[in-house]
Amino acid sequence: TRVMMSQSGLNLFTSSDVEMAQRARLLKRLGFAIFSSPVDQYEPFLPEIQERLSECLRIVMAPPVHVQVFLCWRVLLVRMSANNLTAFWPVIISELIQVLLQMEQDLVTACKQYIRGKRKGAKGERQDPWLTLYLAACKLVDLVLALPASNLPQFQLYQWAFVGEQTQRRRLIGSSTTVVPPDFEPYLVRMANILDQEGLPECKPLKASAGRPLLNVDSLSSLVDLKPFIVGLVHAYQRTATTVIPSRRHHSSSHSDSEDSMSNGEFVEHLIAKDFLELS
């Protein structure tokens, strides 16, 4: 009897982890089913899909589940017409802001630990599930900024909160230009400024190319690894309205020759498809 009670207690203790893992797997299957379908095929089921995603977001301290929600959102952005996703945007923006705010706090800690010579496994830095969630959030921001504005008209109302307005003249990272600080500093600009301090590794910012996301990595060992992406994205959107970001084939050393030869649409779908692969 004692053994049975002990086993029951163990099952109760691990049930939440098992449930989260199962939810994450089911969300991944849902995302892959939508990704494998023609555009708008799942349009009749969008209200139910939205409810399921919102239900998963209500689970606290569940990074693996939330990672799959972000992946589903990326899939929906390329498999659904813009007018069908209007109801999704308030939740997407709210969740993005929440995750980026937490990421900003952890980035301060990560930078301090890096400077102290504790790059990996330092006490106080979020462990892998949280780094994976932060990477998923950055990939979503990367995608919505890369897709043509005509494809995401609703997001244009919120873009200023992440990278600011392209028509604004703002201080570039590493520039000597002096301007009056804005009342609100966009989330990615704040993180770029955190990363712009002595003691952190020098890096070449990723170069933005119209219609092509920048992030092409599967994992992070530290939030500091995001410096080339964050600084590169901020540089791209701190230009004046008359500056045009050219379309390039060889815009980043992180892309292979085969990826450089893809069209913008093919490259976006290639990046999403890679995130469905199971990493050993």
Side-chain angles (χ1 to χ4, degrees):
T1 302
R2 290 181 179 176
V3 173
M4 292 179 62
M5 290 179 64
S6 176
Q7 290 177 341
S8 176
L10 180 60
N11 289 336
L12 289 173
F13 180 75
T14 60
S15 62
S16 61
D17 294 333
V18 173
E19 181 184 358
M20 281 196 298
Q22 184 178 11
R23 281 180 178 268
R25 286 195 298 269
L26 292 175
L27 278 176
K28 194 169 189 177
R29 291 179 185 177
L30 172 64
F32 188 75
I34 299 172
F35 184 64
S36 303
S37 68
V39 173
D40 285 335
Q41 177 174 314
Y42 280 81
E43 186 270 335
F45 306 100
L46 279 180
E48 185 176 356
I49 292 172
Q50 182 179 10
E51 176 58 30
R52 293 294 174 264
L53 295 180
S54 297
E55 180 182 296
C56 290
L57 289 173
R58 287 193 287 268
I59 305 175
V60 297
M61 302 297 290
V65 176
H66 293 185
V67 165
Q68 296 307 319
V69 172
F70 279 108
L71 179 57
C72 277
W73 281 336
R74 288 166 61 205
V75 169
L76 290 171
L77 291 178
V78 299
R79 283 294 179 268
M80 294 294 163
S81 300
N83 61 320
N84 289 328
L85 296 178
T86 302
F88 283 78
W89 281 107
V91 179
I92 292 175
I93 298 301
S94 176
E95 188 65 19
L96 266 179
I97 290 175
Q98 183 177 344
V99 173
L100 290 179
L101 284 173
Q102 183 62 59
M103 176 179 165
E104 181 182 354
Q105 295 178 16
D106 286 353
L107 182 61
V108 173
T109 301
C111 290
K112 290 179 180 178
Q113 292 170 344
Y114 193 106
I115 293 173
R116 293 171 185 167
K118 303 177 181 178
R119 187 177 191 280
K120 295 182 180 180
K123 184 178 179 181
E125 185 174 354
R126 297 283 186 176
Q127 298 304 308
D128 288 349
W130 290 96
L131 289 177
T132 304
L133 176 58
Y134 296 151
L135 179 60
C138 286
K139 286 184 177 182
L140 178 58
V141 173
D142 193 22
L143 177 62
V144 296
L145 291 173
L147 291 176
S150 58
N151 289 15
L152 305 175
Q154 298 90 345
F155 176 71
Q156 308 314 306
L157 299 174
Y158 307 101
Q159 176 178 303
W160 62 271
F162 298 95
V163 291
E165 300 286 351
Q166 277 190 301
T167 56
Q168 292 178 322
R169 290 183 179 272
R170 305 279 287 279
R171 182 177 69 88
L172 294 178
I173 304 302
S175 171
S176 59
T177 304
T178 302
V179 296
V180 178
D183 293 332
F184 172 81
E185 195 166 35
Y187 298 109
L188 290 180
V189 174
R190 297 202 313 237
M191 284 189 272
N193 288 332
I194 293 171
L195 289 164
D196 182 34
Q197 55 181 298
E198 294 183 4
L200 294 179
E202 294 293 332
C203 71
K204 184 177 181 180
L206 297 179
K207 294 182 179 179
S209 180
R212 297 174 75 90
L214 295 177
L215 268 179
N216 190 9
V217 296
D218 301 320
S219 62
L220 301 172
S221 59
S222 169
L223 281 175
V224 178
D225 295 341
L226 286 171
K227 182 176 180 179
F229 162 70
I230 294 175
V231 175
L233 202 59
V234 169
H235 269 270
Y237 282 87
Q238 295 269 306
R239 300 173 184 176
T240 63
T242 56
T243 302
V244 178
I245 302 175
S247 178
R248 310 181 184 198
R249 287 299 185 189
H250 303 282
H251 64 283
S252 173
S253 59
S254 65
H255 299 161
S256 65
D257 291 339
S258 60
E259 291 172 341
D260 286 333
S261 65
M262 296 177 182
S263 67
N264 290 343
E266 290 172 341
F267 182 63
V268 167
E269 297 206 2
H270 168 70
L271 292 182
I272 294 175
K274 284 175 61 178
D275 284 343
F276 283 109
L277 298 177
E278 293 288 349
L279 300 178
S280 57

